[in-house]
Amino acid sequence: MAEITEAKEYDNGGAEAIKGFNFQKANLILLAINNFEKKDFKIYIEAEDDIVVNYNNYRAFIQVKKQVHTFNTITKPGKKKVVDSEGNKGFNFSPSILEKNLKSGTKEDTFKIFVKDIGTTDKKQLNIKKPGSICSELYELSEEAKETIKATLPHELENKIENFYFFISPIHDDLNEAEKYLIGCLNGIDVSVDNNRGRAIIAELSLTIDQKAQEVIYDEVHKEIKSMDKDYFSKVLVTCKSLNEFDNILKSLSYNAVFKKKIRKARLKIELNNTSLKEDMKQALEEIDEAEDLDLEVASNEEIINYLVEKFKSTNSEKVTLISVAIESLSELGDEI
């Protein structure tokens, strides 16, 4: 995986909007399904770009756009009317789609724009490359197209055009059709999709994407909370049972809706901050004996959760964190038995 040592400008612009961008969400899931088994595979959501993919020594910055695009539409700066405090009218300009895509990373990285399609005239100036590193088929710029596009870019971004590609997504922009396609892809890698399990997996991934997109980050340390890695995808795509079980256990508890929402949100941070605590709780469950006044054969979920929270309150973790980790431990332990 490429090292990231320079200071970064993080784009949290999609933090609130991604829930409505089903095309973007579906394309991220498609990338995960097709690539999660690669060494050190990791996806960042709404960090330096819409999607950032890392694996081994490869890094790609990806913009996802749900329209048909041309060279003109990806290189045209954004323009918004504004009125100042004195009533004077003017415009604010923002970087073009392509400039925004190229501004992160180095010339050694890869840059992609995922689109619904490419305008017919411009598509004639593109060459098909297949397979790509993470996409089945890419469109790369001809030498003539490179020169045309370089003329629209700041000088410092011109050398990155050599590693820029279009990807025409097979994802339909209608969510129902997108789900059907993704479930077919899951079936294609031998993930069981019977009994609505395929939809459950898509729902789990979608929920995690939404949650991670909403996290606002300011530095490299916090950036990791925006990631979904190989271990996470392996767990979701291979054994969805414990993921469903977390919600089943949470529903069985007597907490109110607001507190349950906090518990569910705390689950997002378990893999980043609380993996050791989770393993300790799972070990504690395995070592329970009747002398501790908890009979696992008859104890309710809530009694087991309360037992774990009390046992590990000395860790000084917040109660909502302890409950979330306890539920996750219980659900995973049940999956392993």
Side-chain angles (χ1 to χ4, degrees):
M1 188 187 308
E3 291 293 327
I4 306 176
T5 56
E6 69 272 28
K8 289 287 185 298
E9 178 182 348
Y10 292 99
D11 176 15
N12 293 288
E16 294 181 354
I18 195 171
K19 286 187 177 181
F21 292 165
N22 295 325
F23 183 79
Q24 177 173 323
K25 188 190 304 181
N27 275 281
L28 191 154
I29 294 172
L30 179 63
L31 280 171
I33 292 171
N34 289 337
N35 296 283
F36 77 98
E37 294 183 307
K38 288 182 167 67
K39 182 181 178 182
D40 298 327
F41 181 77
K42 186 179 289 189
I43 289 181
Y44 293 91
I45 303 158
E46 299 289 357
E48 297 100 329
D49 217 328
D50 289 346
I51 302 170
V52 181
V53 175
N54 281 328
Y55 76 88
N56 206 2
N57 293 315
Y58 175 91
R59 181 170 62 171
F61 296 89
I62 301 169
Q63 282 272 307
V64 183
K65 301 299 175 185
K66 194 180 65 174
Q67 299 88 17
V68 176
H69 276 280
T70 64
F71 296 165
N72 181 60
T73 59
I74 68 166
T75 57
K76 184 178 181 179
K79 183 178 178 181
K80 183 179 180 180
K81 292 182 180 180
V82 293
V83 180
D84 64 21
S85 58
E86 298 180 355
N88 298 313
K89 297 181 180 179
F91 296 95
N92 276 346
F93 292 91
S94 57
S96 68
I97 294 171
L98 180 60
E99 186 177 343
K100 185 177 180 182
N101 183 225
L102 299 177
K103 73 177 182 178
S104 299
T106 71
K107 65 183 181 67
E108 307 302 324
D109 295 314
T110 301
F111 306 88
K112 295 183 173 77
I113 297 178
F114 284 24
V115 295
K116 187 174 181 179
D117 204 349
I118 302 164
T120 303
T121 300
D122 289 341
K123 190 183 286 188
K124 294 177 182 178
Q125 297 188 58
L126 302 174
N127 303 314
I128 295 177
K129 176 184 177 181
K130 58 182 180 181
S133 296
I134 57 175
C135 300
S136 57
E137 180 177 282
L138 296 170
Y139 286 82
E140 59 183 352
L141 301 173
S142 66
E143 292 303 316
E144 180 183 354
K146 287 177 184 177
E147 294 306 312
T148 299
I149 288 179
K150 281 181 181 179
T152 70
L153 293 171
H155 177 70
E156 65 272 14
L157 299 182
E158 290 180 6
N159 60 355
K160 293 182 178 180
I161 280 295
E162 296 300 322
N163 288 332
F164 168 75
Y165 304 92
F166 283 104
F167 174 65
I168 298 178
S169 174
I171 295 291
H172 197 286
D173 54 10
D174 176 82
L175 181 58
N176 292 326
E177 294 301 318
E179 282 186 357
K180 292 177 184 177
Y181 182 82
L182 292 173
I183 290 170
C185 292
L186 288 171
N187 190 55
I189 60 170
D190 296 325
V191 172
S192 173
V193 296
D194 296 337
N195 299 317
N196 284 325
R197 188 166 181 265
R199 294 196 70 193
I201 291 172
I202 300 302
E204 169 66 26
L205 292 172
S206 297
L207 175 62
T208 303
I209 291 168
D210 287 341
Q211 290 174 331
K212 289 181 177 290
Q214 291 170 18
E215 295 289 340
V216 177
I217 58 175
Y218 304 98
D219 54 40
E220 288 294 322
V221 175
H222 289 93
K223 177 185 169 183
E224 291 305 310
I225 205 169
K226 306 279 274 186
S227 71
M228 300 165 76
D229 62 13
K230 178 178 181 178
D231 289 342
Y232 170 80
F233 288 119
S234 296
K235 176 183 173 185
V236 174
L237 298 180
V238 176
T239 84
C240 198
K241 182 178 178 181
S242 66
L243 302 171
N244 293 330
E245 189 62 17
F246 183 97
D247 280 336
N248 291 336
I249 293 173
L250 183 57
K251 288 176 183 177
S252 73
L253 304 179
S254 60
Y255 306 120
N256 62 45
V258 174
F259 196 60
K260 284 184 177 180
K261 185 175 181 180
K262 290 183 178 181
I263 294 170
R264 190 173 284 107
K265 186 174 182 179
R267 180 191 183 193
L268 171 65
K269 303 180 182 180
I270 291 176
E271 295 304 322
L272 182 61
N273 299 319
N274 302 112
T275 52
S276 295
L277 177 59
K278 182 175 70 174
E279 292 307 313
D280 289 343
M281 283 193 178
K282 288 167 69 174
Q283 185 67 28
L285 283 172
E286 291 175 340
E287 296 175 351
I288 285 177
D289 57 45
E290 294 182 5
E292 296 183 76
D293 297 324
L294 185 67
D295 186 346
L296 284 179
E297 291 186 10
V298 298
S300 67
N301 288 335
E302 192 147 355
E303 287 172 332
I304 296 172
I305 300 302
N306 290 339
Y307 165 82
L308 290 172
V309 169
E310 181 65 24
K311 187 176 182 66
F312 288 92
K313 67 180 182 181
S314 60
T315 62
N316 295 321
S317 299
E318 293 183 4
K319 184 177 181 180
V320 69
T321 298
L322 289 172
I323 293 172
S324 184
V325 177
I327 296 173
E328 184 82 349
S329 303
L330 184 58
S331 63
E332 287 191 8
L333 192 63
D335 198 32
E336 294 169 6
I337 293 174

